[in-house]
């Protein structure tokens, strides 16, 4: 199962009596990095295995979502490294255009300054200073978590190499006519003062108002309803359905637009739903995407009525008002003219908000740069359809196709100063030149570069190949592209995954950016609620690492990681994982003190006891099971399998069953010591990717070797012993049943009881000493009188309880408990038999009564059994 150990531990390896993560983790991680265990070699003959980290924002700090995904990525790469792959897990950060610019602008505001006061060049330099001083703290926190990243290859989306990649692909897309400049309706944030993409808009239900307004005069009037009254100042038409007879006489005519000196046409358009509202809609082409489309079809005027801050710029009395102030003022003015037909307040409707600053987004006509996505999106969809890229879990494919098959052209320009500036120059006579990284920018009077920068997702969309050196043909790119697995949340399929798919396939001649996308859910609190800084349930994972150790946090997160599903986590669960780490420590320490060793070959099977053969069989099955779960990204199941194998089978059963052998000494103890050493060796290896710190410390002590990080991953040897497993299952059955009986009789776990065991004719005979040890059963001596006899697993266990419990006091206690259970049952039956009660009581109350009845009946059965088993006085 494992290679022969060349180095052996000291004869009496020393481990502290308690595991102290704070004293272990930091030093261990520094050693791993210093010795280059995480550094990939592009010249290696080993097969490559590559993961690029989803680059956290330079402004970010570690939250549980980061810790969750990092734990899974680290587990995958640690296992592959142990399996003999040349693993590259590449770290880096995203420049996070809007978020970072906002940070520095806030800093300037505290100094009474704005970015305009500094100017573009000085402001950009100030952002770089901020980045160097404050940015990237999350990377240090990832080290604290134990992330085995190749720090020698750390990248930043605005470093020199990635900037060259951005310019290269922009020029290539531009030359292929896949990037263009056009005036369209975009999502505009009046706070961030920039365009944002559809996927950067968060929709939520807000309390607003729906106001119905009367346009026109006399017979030529029409009623329209709107939640954005202020936009009426920019109306350039009213639209009705061409088949709506109510308005047939108005189509083609012009009606008066209230509060203005303008008239607007009534147009017929199939976009209008005649069944909704009055069947007539106001059309504001410069401030609504649907209205823009109607305007294009009917050649309507595009009238912009607000500036970039949402301030009204037209029509005297409202000019200079904020959009929301104008809304109230216009309703009041329309009401004075008798043109308000109806008002509904509050009117709950879905409103878009900037995902970063939460400001209400304003649809706005704007000249922007766009990526034409039709062919790029088709390629991204085809790569999943033809199985070149696997989405895991597979049921996520529907969400992916729903998005990628209906993708609109992507607005990539942002009105910011921090980011990759668009590499286009405009000349004095209307010239426009796109400049690649190796081109000379045009010079001379009147030539200026575009003021806008690119959407952050444009550069992060290049991440899987730009970080490996593209557009240069580097050894890293040749060795490590395409990457193997992308681990990311299902919530950014649209933001990031699709962008990388489009750009990777385009730039790398159809080679996919990753072979598998392993989609995770979101981390939630223990009650399933979303964690948020605005709620009291937000947790800083560093606090938990300080209190319980990084291994405990990692194991808790992995235990909740079902593919694509949200992950609930609570502090009690982290405490339980801390207890698991302590259990591993204490049990391994005990084993080392009692002869566990990896020295020499594993003994031949025929020399081993059934207990030894059982644990080796279970060990191999567990390795095979864990491998299958890893390959299917079933982290919760593999963590559960490891937990129960380590705690239940190794520590609670094998070690306990073997104590009599170890205490007896001799050849049997040597054989079991070597088996226990083998089991610990393999168990610590398969646990290592999830809980690296405690396993590293224990394994190096056990084996005397330098590190577990680069040790071989265990292989299933194929050894199985069903007979031994069945035999030990009988032992477990006897011990479990007798323990239950002892507990029912009120005996303390350590309390010794005289007993007679009849095991002849069963496979249990060789295990009598172990059974007695586990059950605290003394030999039956002269005067033994069996007061209870338990037939179990083909054997009989007779116990003399006469000197261990006060039978009469116990009978009195149990009789009292039985009476209380019978009374509870009678009350529940009475209520459930009462038709009047059932007719009036809520369902949850009835269910509660039924639950009480079920519990009472179970208590009656249990207590009656305990009474029947009491010794006869």
């Amino acid at each position: 199962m494992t290679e022969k150990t060349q180095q052996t531990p000291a004869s009496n390896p020393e481990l502290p009596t308690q595991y102290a993560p704070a004293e272990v983790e930091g030093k261990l991680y520094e050693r791993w990095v210093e010795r280059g265990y995480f550094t990939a070699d592009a010249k290696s003959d080993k097969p490559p295995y590559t993961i690029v980290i989803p680059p956290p924002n330079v402004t970010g700090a570690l939250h549980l979502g980061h810790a969750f995904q990092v734990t899974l990525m680290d587990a995958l790469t640690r296992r592959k490294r142990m399996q003999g792959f040349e693993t590259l897990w590449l770290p880096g950060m995203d420049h996070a255009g809007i978020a970072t610019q906002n940070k520095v602008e806030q800093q300037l505001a505290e100094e009474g300054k704005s970015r305009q006061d500094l100017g573009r060049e000085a402001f950009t330099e100030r952002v770089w200073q901020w980045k160097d001083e404050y940015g990237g703290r999350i990377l240090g926190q990832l080290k604290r978590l134990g992330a085995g990243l190749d720090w020698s290859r750390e990248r930043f989306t605005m470093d020199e190499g990635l900037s060259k990649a951005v310019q290269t692909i922009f020029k290539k897309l531009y030359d292929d006519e896949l990037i263009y400049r056009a005036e369209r309706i975009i999502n505009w944030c009046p706070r961030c003062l920039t365009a944002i993409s559809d996927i950067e808009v968060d929709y939520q239900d807000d309390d607003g108002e729906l106001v119905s307004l009367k346009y026109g005069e006399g017979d030529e009037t029409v009623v329209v309803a709107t939640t954005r009254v202020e936009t009426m100042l920019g109306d350039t038409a009213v639209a009705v359905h061409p088949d709506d007879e109510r308005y047939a006489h108005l189509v083609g005519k012009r009606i008066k637009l209230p509060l203005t000196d303008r008239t607007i046409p009534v147009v017929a358009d199939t976009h209008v739903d005649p069944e909704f509202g009055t069947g007539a809609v106001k059309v504001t082409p410069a401030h609504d995407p649907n209205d823009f489309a109607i305007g294009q079809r009917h050649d309507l005027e595009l009238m912009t009525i607000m500036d970039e801050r949402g301030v009204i710029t037209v029509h005297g009395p409202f000019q200079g008002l904020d959009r929301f102030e104008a809304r109230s003022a216009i309703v009041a003015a329309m009401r004075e003219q008798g043109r308000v037909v109806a008002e509904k307040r509050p009117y709950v409707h879905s409103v878009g908000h900037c995902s970063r600053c939460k400001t209400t987004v304003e649809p706005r006509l704007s000249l922007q740069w766009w990526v034409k996505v039709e062919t790029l999106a088709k390629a991204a969809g085809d790569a999943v359809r033809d199985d070149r890229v696997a989405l895991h879990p597979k049921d996520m494919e529907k969400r992916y196709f729903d998005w990628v098959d209906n993708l609109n052209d992507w607005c990539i320009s942002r009105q910011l100063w921090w980011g990759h500036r668009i590499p286009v120059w405009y000349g004095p006579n209307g010239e426009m030149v796109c400049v690649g990284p190796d081109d000379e920018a045009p010079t001379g009077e009147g030539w200026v570069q575009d003021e806008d920068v690119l959407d952050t997702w444009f550069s992060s969309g290049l991440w899987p190949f730009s970080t490996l050196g593209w557009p240069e043909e580097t050894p890293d790119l040749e060795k490590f592209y395409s990457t193997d697995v992308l681990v990311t949340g299902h919530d950014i399929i649209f933001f990031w995954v699709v962008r990388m798919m489009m750009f990777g396939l385009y730039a790398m001649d159809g080679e996919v950016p990753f072979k598998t996308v392993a989609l995770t859910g979101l981390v939630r609190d223990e009650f399933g609620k979303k964690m948020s800084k605005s709620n009291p349930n937000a947790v800083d994972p560093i606090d938990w690492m300080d209190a319980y150790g990084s291994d405990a946090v990692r194991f808790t997160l992995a235990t909740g990681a079902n593919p694509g599903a949200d992950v609930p986590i609570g502090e009690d669960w982290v405490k339980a994982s801390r207890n698991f780490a302590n259990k591993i420590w204490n049990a391994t320490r005990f084993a080392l003190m009692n002869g566990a060793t990896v020295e020499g070959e594993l003994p031949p099977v025929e020399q081993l006891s059934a207990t030894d053969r059982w644990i080796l069989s279970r060990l191999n099955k567990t390795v095979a099971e864990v491998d299958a779960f890893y390959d299917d990204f079933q982290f919760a199941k593999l963590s559960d399998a490891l937990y129960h194998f380590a705690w239940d089978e190794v520590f609670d059963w094998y070690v306990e069953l073997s104590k009599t052998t170890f205490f007896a000494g001799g050849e049997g103890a040597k054989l079991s010591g070597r088996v226990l050493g083998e089991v610990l060796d393999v168990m610590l290896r398969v646990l290592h990717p999830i809980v690296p710190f405690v396993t590293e410390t224990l394994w190096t002590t056990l084996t005397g070797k330098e590190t577990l990080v680069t040790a071989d991953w265990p292989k299933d040897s194929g050894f199985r012993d069903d007979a031994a497993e069945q035999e030990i299952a009988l032992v477990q059955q006897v011990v479990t049943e007798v323990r239950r009986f002892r507990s029912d009789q009120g005996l303390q776990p350590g309390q010794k009881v005289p007993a007679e065991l009849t095991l002849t004719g069963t496979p249990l005979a060789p295990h009598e000493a172990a059974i007695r040890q586990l059950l605290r059963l003394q030999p039956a001596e002269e005067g033994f009188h069996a007061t209870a006899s338990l037939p179990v697993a083909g054997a009989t266990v007779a116990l003399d309880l006469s000197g261990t419990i006060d039978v009469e006091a116990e009978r009195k206690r149990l009789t009292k408990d039985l009476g209380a259970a019978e009374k509870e049952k009678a009350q529940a039956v009475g209520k459930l038999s009462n038709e009047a009660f059932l007719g009036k009581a809520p369902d949850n109350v009835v269910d509660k009564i039924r639950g009480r009845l079920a519990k009472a009946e179970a208590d009656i059965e249990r207590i009656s059994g305990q009474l029947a088993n009491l010794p006869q006085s």
Side-chain angles (χ1 to χ4, degrees):
M1 186 177 299
T2 62
E3 80 278 10
K4 184 176 179 180
T5 304
Q6 298 301 313
Q7 294 168 275
T8 57
S11 56
N12 292 300
E14 292 292 331
L15 284 172
T17 55
Q18 290 184 325
Y19 177 50
E23 297 176 12
V24 170
E25 294 176 350
K27 296 175 184 176
L28 260 188
Y29 191 85
E30 286 180 12
R31 189 172 76 191
W32 289 337
V33 174
E34 287 170 0
R35 296 186 180 182
Y37 296 147
F38 305 142
T39 304
D41 181 3
K43 298 179 182 179
S44 167
D45 293 332
K46 296 178 182 178
Y49 184 82
T50 316
I51 295 180
V52 290
I53 195 170
N57 285 355
V58 68
T59 60
L62 187 73
H63 58 64
L64 279 171
H66 290 129
F68 171 50
Q69 291 179 1
V70 166
T71 294
L72 305 190
M73 285 183 274
D74 195 37
L76 290 170
T77 51
R78 284 180 182 270
R79 172 176 175 256
K80 286 295 182 180
R81 187 181 296 113
M82 295 173 75
Q83 286 181 318
F85 287 78
E86 192 62 42
T87 57
L88 170 59
W89 185 21
L90 195 147
M93 293 182 297
D94 190 279
H95 66 277
I98 295 177
T100 308
Q101 179 158 317
N102 282 348
K103 285 277 187 184
V104 178
E105 288 197 81
Q106 289 167 12
Q107 200 176 61
L108 287 173
E110 292 172 2
E111 301 170 13
K113 299 177 184 176
S114 70
R115 60 175 162 135
Q116 287 77 17
D117 293 331
L118 270 65
R120 184 168 194 142
E121 186 176 343
F123 176 79
T124 303
E125 179 59 34
R126 178 73 176 256
V127 182
W128 277 107
Q129 291 173 7
W130 183 93
K131 182 258 180 188
D132 292 339
E133 185 173 355
Y134 300 106
R137 61 178 173 149
I138 189 172
L139 297 182
Q141 294 170 330
L142 295 180
K143 295 175 182 179
R144 176 72 190 280
L145 190 64
L149 290 150
D150 184 348
W151 296 106
S152 70
R153 286 175 166 87
E154 182 185 336
R155 302 305 299 268
F156 179 54
T157 50
M158 283 184 62
D159 67 28
E160 185 177 349
L162 269 64
S163 294
K164 181 176 182 179
V166 168
Q167 273 191 276
T168 300
I169 200 163
F170 187 99
K171 180 74 161 65
K172 180 174 170 58
L173 288 162
Y174 182 88
D175 290 345
D176 288 345
E177 299 183 350
L178 293 173
I179 279 184
Y180 64 95
R181 195 176 189 223
E183 198 171 38
R184 300 269 188 86
I185 293 286
I186 49 89
N187 302 298
W188 181 266
C189 177
R191 160 63 183 79
C192 298
L193 297 179
T194 181
I196 56 177
S197 66
D198 292 344
I199 53 179
E200 293 169 303
V201 178
D202 292 337
Y203 287 91
Q204 66 185 45
D205 287 340
D206 286 357
D207 285 346
E209 58 183 348
L210 180 67
V211 183
S212 297
L213 305 172
K214 183 168 64 176
Y215 287 10
E217 301 289 352
D219 294 335
E220 296 180 352
T221 61
V222 63
V223 175
V224 297
T226 180
T227 58
R228 299 166 65 216
V229 174
E230 67 280 5
T231 63
M232 68 152 295
L233 300 176
D235 285 356
T236 56
V238 169
V240 298
H241 194 277
D243 297 332
D244 194 336
E245 294 181 359
R246 293 173 295 176
Y247 303 110
H249 68 291
L250 289 178
V251 175
K253 293 184 178 181
R254 301 184 70 89
I255 62 174
K256 180 173 172 52
L257 180 66
L259 306 182
T260 73
D261 57 3
R262 295 189 292 118
T263 61
I264 57 176
V266 177
V267 299
D269 195 283
T270 54
H271 170 76
V272 179
D273 180 1
E275 301 299 322
F276 183 77
T278 63
V281 297
K282 59 190 288 296
V283 182
T284 319
H287 291 277
D288 182 274
N290 293 321
D291 292 4
F292 178 80
I294 294 174
Q296 293 288 292
R297 288 193 289 272
H298 298 277
D299 196 25
L300 299 177
E301 180 185 357
L302 303 175
M303 188 173 179
T304 300
I305 63 162
M306 296 182 207
D307 67 11
E308 67 274 11
R309 297 183 183 276
V311 174
I312 303 299
T313 58
V314 298
H315 199 70
F318 309 109
Q319 191 169 358
L321 294 180
D322 172 80
R323 52 186 168 153
F324 300 121
E325 295 172 336
R327 182 177 298 177
S328 300
I330 291 171
V331 170
M334 293 285 278
R335 191 182 295 114
E336 280 185 24
Q337 293 188 8
R339 291 185 175 275
V340 175
V341 176
E343 296 177 77
K344 184 176 182 180
R345 295 191 186 91
Y347 178 72
V348 179
H349 62 130
S350 182
V351 177
H353 296 261
C354 174
S355 61
R356 290 175 178 83
C357 70
K358 310 309 176 188
T359 300
T360 300
V361 166
E362 190 65 39
R364 186 169 188 259
L365 186 66
S366 183
L367 184 63
Q368 301 285 346
W369 284 95
W370 305 80
V371 172
K372 190 182 296 183
V373 301
E374 183 179 2
T375 57
L376 300 174
K378 183 180 185 303
D382 289 345
V384 174
R385 286 189 170 93
D386 62 22
D387 296 327
R388 282 177 291 149
V389 176
L391 262 59
H392 191 89
K394 192 173 179 62
D395 59 16
M396 286 288 174
E397 285 185 0
K398 183 180 185 303
R399 293 184 65 185
Y400 178 82
F401 292 135
D402 284 348
W403 181 258
V404 79
D405 292 345
N406 298 285
L407 200 59
N408 296 318
D409 283 1
W410 173 19
C411 177
I412 56 171
S413 45
R414 299 291 182 267
Q415 289 64 56
L416 304 171
W417 286 356
W418 172 245
H420 294 280
R421 195 164 174 181
I422 289 176
V424 172
W425 270 254
Y426 305 107
N429 299 310
E431 303 96 331
M432 186 165 68
V433 176
C434 181
V435 177
D438 300 320
D439 300 333
E440 289 290 334
T443 57
E445 187 175 352
W447 282 93
V448 294
Q449 186 178 358
D450 195 298
E451 291 288 324
D452 290 350
V453 300
L454 288 162
D455 178 9
T456 296
W457 297 102
F458 189 95
S459 51
S460 61
L462 314 181
W463 191 251
F465 53 95
S466 63
T467 52
L468 298 175
W470 187 90
E472 307 300 328
E473 295 180 2
T474 64
D476 276 4
L477 193 64
E478 182 179 355
K479 176 76 173 179
F480 296 111
Y481 190 88
S482 59
T483 68
D484 287 88
V485 182
L486 173 71
V487 178
T488 192
H490 61 65
D491 56 322
I492 61 170
I493 289 179
F494 321 125
F495 286 91
W496 193 42
V497 177
V498 172
R499 311 297 192 209
M500 287 188 289
M501 287 284 281
M502 292 193 301
F503 281 169
L505 291 162
Y506 173 74
M508 300 300 293
D509 299 321
E511 193 173 357
V512 297
F514 25 73
K515 301 176 185 75
T516 300
V517 181
L519 294 164
T520 69
L522 306 178
V523 177
R524 297 182 178 273
D525 71 13
E526 59 193 300
F527 305 107
K529 294 181 180 178
K530 184 177 180 180
M531 287 191 176
S532 170
K533 291 180 181 178
S534 59
N535 294 332
N537 65 350
V539 172
D540 184 344
I542 298 295
D543 292 341
W544 281 354
M545 285 188 268
D546 287 343
Y548 309 113
S550 298
D551 282 336
V553 174
R554 290 170 62 111
F555 192 78
T556 306
L557 290 165
T559 302
N562 290 297
D566 288 348
V567 182
I569 184 171
E571 188 167 7
D572 286 345
W573 305 346
V574 184
K575 290 179 182 177
S577 295
R578 184 269 317 272
N579 294 343
F580 179 52
N582 288 341
K583 182 75 171 181
I584 298 170
W585 182 273
N586 294 334
T588 302
R589 184 172 178 272
F590 168 84
L592 290 170
M593 292 170 61
N594 285 276
T597 180
V598 294
E599 186 174 359
E601 298 286 351
L602 197 62
V605 172
E606 58 270 16
Q607 294 181 17
L608 301 178
S609 68
T611 304
D612 290 338
R613 287 182 280 115
W614 162 73
I615 198 62
L616 290 176
S617 182
R618 289 297 308 132
L619 178 67
N620 277 283
K621 285 184 178 180
T622 300
V623 169
E625 191 175 33
V626 167
D627 275 333
F629 286 143
Y630 261 116
D631 291 341
D632 198 34
F633 304 99
Q634 297 280 0
F635 292 96
K637 290 182 179 179
L638 72 88
S639 299
D640 187 64
L642 288 169
Y643 176 90
H644 288 293
F645 176 73
W647 193 307
D648 299 347
E649 297 185 298
V650 177
F651 302 142
D652 280 359
W653 284 108
Y654 179 73
V655 170
E656 294 298 322
L657 286 169
S658 300
K659 278 183 178 178
T660 54
T661 302
F662 287 128
F663 296 160
E667 187 62 25
K670 290 182 179 179
L671 293 173
S672 291
R674 180 64 188 90
V675 169
L676 180 53
E678 178 78 3
V679 171
L680 291 176
D681 177 11
V682 174
M683 182 193 76
L684 292 170
R685 292 181 197 228
V686 291
L687 276 166
H688 176 72
I690 304 293
V691 284
F693 293 109
V694 67
T695 53
E696 169 88 344
T697 306
L698 295 173
W699 189 84
T700 52
T701 303
L702 171 69
T703 65
K705 291 188 174 184
E706 178 182 290
T707 183
L708 183 47
V709 176
T710 55
D712 290 341
W713 181 256
K715 294 180 180 178
D716 172 15
S717 70
F719 174 72
R720 302 288 189 273
D721 194 326
D722 293 340
E725 291 196 40
Q726 292 170 9
E727 186 171 320
I728 300 304
L730 292 176
V731 175
Q732 292 171 326
Q733 186 179 349
V734 170
V735 172
T736 301
E737 289 295 326
V738 176
R739 279 177 174 168
R740 183 180 297 116
F741 176 78
R742 286 175 56 105
S743 175
D744 287 346
Q745 300 308 312
L747 297 177
Q748 296 299 313
Q751 191 171 352
K752 295 183 178 180
V753 179
E756 194 173 69
L757 274 61
T758 307
L759 306 176
T760 54
T762 74
L764 296 168
H767 304 283
E768 179 169 354
I771 291 172
R772 285 187 176 276
Q773 169 70 24
L774 288 168
L775 291 172
R776 304 295 188 268
L777 302 179
Q778 294 177 318
E781 298 178 349
E782 186 175 350
F784 173 82
H785 173 64
T787 58
S789 183
L790 302 177
V792 56
T796 302
V797 179
L799 305 170
D800 183 358
L801 304 179
S802 56
T804 58
I805 59 173
D806 184 334
V807 175
E808 287 307 314
E810 185 66 9
R811 181 175 283 112
K812 185 179 295 185
R813 182 185 71 80
L814 290 172
T815 300
K816 181 179 179 181
D817 291 347
L818 180 62
E822 288 173 337
K823 181 178 180 181
E824 176 73 6
K825 176 183 176 181
Q827 290 175 343
V829 168
K831 288 186 177 181
L832 294 173
S833 302
N834 186 330
E835 294 296 334
F837 170 77
L838 294 176
K840 295 179 181 179
D843 290 345
N844 65 318
V845 173
V846 175
D847 289 343
K848 187 175 180 181
I849 299 298
R850 288 186 178 129
R852 287 168 52 189
L853 174 60
K855 182 179 183 303
E857 289 175 336
D859 287 345
I860 290 169
E861 183 178 0
R862 174 179 57 80
I863 297 168
S864 298
Q866 290 175 248
L867 281 167
N869 282 314
L870 281 176
Q872 297 300 312
S873 53

